[in-house]
Amino acid sequence: MSSEVEEMSSNSIKLLAGNSHPELADAISRRLGIPLSKVGVYQYSNKETSVTIGESIRDEDVYIIQTGTGQQEINDFLMELLIMIHACKVASVRRVTAVIPNFPYARQDKKDKSRAPITAKLMANLLQTAGCDHVITMDLHASQIQGFFRIPVDNLYAEPSLLNYIKTKTDLENAILVSPDAGGAKRVASLADKLDLNFALIHKERQKANEVSRMVLVGDVRGKSCLLIDDMADTCGTLVKATDTLMDHGAKEVIAIVTHGIFSGNAEEKLKNSRLSRIVSTNTVPVDLDLDIFDEIDISPTLAEAIRRLHNGESVSYLFTHAPA
């Protein structure tokens, strides 16, 4: 009996990558020392997506790396992921885990007005229907999104990596953490506790989605190096207005640190003309900014370690407080 169990457990990790973020997939592959499996993802002339898996994955533990980008291809990448999951299930894999560092449609997580869709719930349904057995993601816009799934979801945190960056690359003695909205106050308070720093809060009033009209600062930032923390930077309207508010209240400098640097639309132009000293983002999505003030934090070690631990049946909670070296 024991030899049967041993035989059953001797499956290996297979890494598959979609087209959304090949650099991150390569970094995870190098970190694990496991080559990416051969996968052909093509589009027919009529824009239909076709997936071909070029090697046997029968009874293997498969991890598909595909992130939600801020570009127009987000829906194509989502279809790619769903078709790849389905192709794996049809190929008789033991388990399929979707590694989605930036979960798509995460901001549409509640019915905040009449007739509004809860699209994040639809994403969960689509992934499960396709055959996904497990999801690894990072810094969900709202952690309750995990409750939309009937399968396990590991929501990893970029916080340990952000802490390392703040401790080594900012003026910690003269720093204050700032949340650009009330929704991010809990995230910033957690960082402030770990760094033993004060934090300030900006209350924003929106006229409509993606447009901020008025900002009110709660806290004293005079002469301080302000670290503006957010989970996502999309059009960067909030970051730029928050920076202006802080500088107008006597801040020495403003450094924006975000997990998901989507930077869509004219975000690059806004950042170029802003009063930000630095904009820092992780590489959960591919970033193509031609700015001297941009800096990047690599989170591939965290994702790679999560994959290794999940495959070996080890606890993943260690990664909630530690960034792998």
Side-chain angles (χ1 to χ4, degrees), residues 210 235-237 240 266-275:
N210 280 358
T235 57
C236 292
V240 170
N266 63 342
E268 185 170 349
E269 190 182 329
K270 283 182 188 171
L271 292 171
K272 198 175 283 185
N273 299 325
S274 75
R275 295 154 80 182

Side-chain angles (χ1 to χ4, degrees), residues 1 7 45 49 55 61 65 69 72 104 112 127 132 138 142 147 169 171 194 229 232 253 261 273 281 325:
M1 181 67 184
E7 204 173 300
S45 56
T49 299
E55 60 187 77
D61 193 11
I65 302 160
T69 71
Q72 289 176 339
D112 54 357
L127 287 164
C132 189
M138 181 167 271
K169 297 194 177 180
D171 178 16
K194 290 178 175 70
I229 312 289
M232 189 181 292
E253 64 171 353
N273 299 325
S281 161

Side-chain angles (χ1 to χ4, degrees), residues 13-19 21 25-26 28-29 34-41 51-57 60-66 80-81 83-85 87-89 91 93 96-99 307:
I13 296 174
K14 290 284 184 183
L15 292 177
L16 276 61
N19 290 322
H21 201 343
D26 285 338
I28 292 171
S29 167
I34 297 169
L36 292 168
S37 297
K38 298 183 186 74
V39 180
V41 184
V51 171
T52 308
I53 297 171
E55 60 187 77
S56 174
I57 52 173
E60 301 288 21
D61 193 11
V62 173
Y63 295 82
I64 303 174
I65 302 160
Q66 185 84 310
E80 255 181 40
L81 174 60
I83 295 170
M84 287 172 80
I85 291 169
C88 289
K89 293 303 275 189
V93 300
V96 182
T97 302
V99 182
I307 290 171

Side-chain angles (χ1 to χ4, degrees), residues 28 98-102 134-141 143 146 153-161 259-260 284 299-310 315-322 324:
I28 292 171
V99 182
I100 315 170
N102 178 33
H134 202 121
V135 173
I136 295 174
T137 186
M138 181 167 271
D139 276 9
L140 281 170
H141 189 63
S143 55
Q146 293 168 91
V153 177
D154 284 314
N155 180 31
L156 303 174
Y157 301 113
E159 185 181 274
S161 301
T259 303
H260 308 298
T284 55
I299 47 83
S300 63
T302 301
L303 293 169
E305 182 63 11
I307 290 171
R308 189 195 68 77
R309 284 171 175 263
L310 190 58
S315 171
V316 175
S317 59
Y318 173 83
L319 297 172
F320 296 166
T321 52
H322 297 80

